[in-house]
Amino acid sequence: MRSVAVVLAPAARTWRQPLAAALLALVATACQRPHPDADAQPLGTGARATLQWNGTRPCVDCRGIDVQLTLARDDDYALTETFHTRAGASRFVEHGCWQRQGVRLRLQGDTGSLRIYRLLPDGRLQPRDLHGGAFASASTLQPVAGVAP
C-alpha cells in the first residue's frame, strides 16, 4: 500500500499544480476591465448611464434589509444593504463588476463575493443561489431607473 501512495503522489501533483495555476489565473482575471480608450464614449453620454433597483429583503435576526443595486454601463456595480435592528441601522456597501449571462446577472465583488440575480420579464431582479435556484423567502428588487441591461 505504501509503494502505491508513493507512486501516485507525483502523478497527482502533475495535474494539480497546473489546475491550481489555471484556477488562480481565472480568478485573477475574472473581473478585470479593459483599459479605457481615448475614443471611448464617457459614461453617461449614450443611453442611461446607470440602472437601479431597490427592495426590502426579510431578515432572521433584524427587522429587514433595504437593498439598493446600481449597475453602471461600464460593468461596475454598487450594492448597498441597510440592516434595520432595534439598536438602529447598519449600512454596508459592496462594489465590483457585473455581467449578463442570458437572463442572469452575475455580480463579482471586489472582495471576492459572488451574487446571482435573475432578470424577470417585467424588469424585476430575483436573487438566486450560486447554482441559479430561487430562494424560498427572497423578495425581488424593483426597477427604479433605466431599462433592462
Side-chain angles (χ1 to χ4, degrees):
M1 198 78 148
R2 190 175 235 189
S3 63
V4 171
V6 172
V7 171
L8 292 179
R13 268 189 246 134
T14 22
W15 68 266
R16 284 185 184 162
Q17 289 173 342
L19 178 63
L23 287 174
L24 183 59
L26 178 66
V27 169
T29 61
C31 204
Q32 286 185 348
R33 296 171 194 95
H35 295 292
D37 294 335
D39 299 333
Q41 277 190 315
L43 186 66
T45 60
R48 291 194 183 254
T50 60
L51 307 168
Q52 193 175 86
W53 291 264
N54 64 22
T56 302
R57 288 192 347 228
C59 179
V60 175
D61 57 353
C62 69
R63 294 181 177 177
I65 306 167
D66 289 335
V67 180
Q68 181 178 4
L69 173 62
T70 303
L71 302 180
R73 292 281 182 192
D74 65 355
D75 300 336
D76 288 329
Y77 79 88
L79 179 72
T80 304
E81 296 177 307
T82 305
F83 291 73
H84 297 281
T85 64
R86 292 178 191 247
S90 298
R91 183 175 176 218
F92 299 92
V93 179
E94 175 182 294
H95 295 275
C97 64
W98 67 274
Q99 64 182 181
R100 183 173 178 175
Q101 299 168 331
V103 294
R104 289 187 187 164
L105 295 179
R106 176 186 164 99
L107 282 60
Q108 180 72 50
D110 289 342
T111 59
S113 65
L114 177 63
R115 296 173 190 253
I116 307 292
Y117 287 89
R118 179 179 176 89
L119 182 61
L120 301 176
D122 62 0
R124 293 178 298 139
L125 290 180
Q126 182 183 51
R128 296 293 180 123
D129 65 24
L130 296 181
H131 302 289
F135 294 109
S137 63
S139 302
T140 59
L141 300 179
Q142 304 295 321
V144 175
V147 295

